[in-house]
Amino acid sequence: AQSVAQPEDQVNVAEGNPLTVKCTYSVSGNPYLFWYVQYPNRGLQFLLKYITGDNLVKGSYGFEAEFNKSQTSFHLKKPSALVSDSALYFCAVRDKNTNAGKSTFGDGTTLTVKP
Amino acid sequence: KAGVTQTPRYLIKTRGQQVTLSCSPISGHRSVSWYQQTPGQGLQFLFEYFSETQRNKGNFPGRFSGRQFSNSRSEMNVSTLELGDSALYLCASSGLADSYNEQFFGPGTRLTVL
């Protein structure tokens, strides 16, 4: 079984400050981890993924995420937040034996960046 | 390449009716998945189709069904609608069968059951 937890329903940051959106996971085996963003009335957009290799993954729009195997975490980060980053963020996980089409998603974290 | 398209974008139905939602994946993508998104339950996996075969199924009642055509387009059907079926239904496609591939989502169909 696989599961994802996003412990914060809401994250508020000021524009220009760094942001972190937290994600922890549970899988039996090596995880494949993903971050998606959803803007109002839109579908989810892929931001970045961790498959293997370097624990720091860089993605779209200046976002990055750090894979930490010992803490089973995959936190999303950005050095300097923009107001336009305000959206709903989802972390997702699969294990190696799960098909590409079946992901387990966290409940989402609403990020609000204030000017 | 055109993205994932879903039709219709909005639907209003009454309890007991049935509904069919349509999804066209990105050209060349053979995996199509459906998710239900609600404020209280987040994103819940419904089912996945690959080359016209259902490969995975989530924990939803039999009222929820789907199919995939030879051109990879997929439809989802919900029969005997209940108020709790009101949700945003998202379709996602993926290029390959490998589990490390990301999914590409459509804009969703917002279903309201009255």
Side-chain angles (χ1 to χ4, degrees):
Chain A
Q2 53 197 30
S3 65
V4 174
Q6 292 180 242
E8 300 160 316
D9 290 337
Q10 184 121 15
V11 170
N12 298 310
V13 298
E15 188 174 31
N17 283 0
L19 69 87
T20 299
V21 182
K22 295 180 180 178
C23 170
T24 59
Y25 66 89
S26 174
V27 294
S28 55
N30 291 324
Y32 295 147
L33 293 153
F34 305 81
W35 275 103
Y36 293 85
V37 60
Q38 185 178 33
Y39 297 99
N41 299 315
R42 304 276 296 275
L44 278 66
Q45 296 177 32
F46 169 74
L47 279 178
L48 51 78
K49 65 181 176 183
Y50 171 82
I51 304 302
T52 188
D54 194 350
N55 289 344
L56 185 64
V57 178
K58 294 189 183 296
S60 306
Y61 312 120
F63 284 95
E64 57 189 30
E66 187 167 11
F67 171 65
N68 187 317
K69 188 172 184 177
S70 62
Q71 297 186 3
T72 61
S73 67
F74 188 56
H75 300 332
L76 182 70
K77 300 181 181 183
K78 188 173 182 180
S80 179
L82 299 173
V83 173
S84 58
D85 293 330
S86 299
L88 182 58
Y89 291 80
F90 289 96
C91 180
V93 69
R94 291 185 214 125
D95 64 38
K96 282 182 67 174
N97 297 318
T98 303
N99 299 127
K102 183 179 180 181
S103 295
T104 298
F105 286 82
D107 289 339
T109 297
T110 299
L111 171 67
T112 302
V113 181
K114 298 186 177 179
Chain B
K1 272 186 179 179
V4 178
T5 58
Q6 291 186 246
T7 56
R9 291 292 311 277
Y10 302 91
L11 267 178
I12 299 176
K13 294 285 187 179
T14 57
R15 279 180 299 174
Q17 287 187 310
Q18 76 165 20
V19 66
T20 298
L21 313 181
S22 180
C23 170
S24 292
I26 290 173
S27 178
H29 285 193
R30 294 162 65 190
S31 168
V32 175
S33 301
W34 289 89
Y35 294 86
Q36 181 194 67
Q37 185 179 13
T38 59
Q41 299 293 320
L43 260 82
Q44 302 291 314
F45 172 77
L46 280 155
F47 28 66
E48 183 219 0
Y49 288 86
F50 185 85
S51 294
E52 301 180 66
T53 301
Q54 187 180 88
R55 233 173 20 169
N56 290 290
K57 190 177 190 308
N59 296 323
F60 278 81
R63 300 185 297 107
F64 292 81
S65 63
R67 59 178 175 170
Q68 187 180 32
F69 301 95
S70 59
N71 61 358
S72 293
R73 189 177 71 85
S74 176
E75 287 182 347
M76 189 191 100
N77 185 276
V78 187
S79 62
T80 319
L81 284 166
E82 300 177 359
L83 295 179
D85 296 333
S86 294
L88 181 67
Y89 290 88
L90 293 166
C91 168
S93 72
S94 184
L96 297 170
D98 299 311
S99 57
Y100 55 77
N101 284 288
E102 63 270 25
Q103 293 177 289
F104 296 84
F105 285 79
T109 294
R110 184 162 298 281
L111 172 64
T112 302
V113 182
L114 303 175

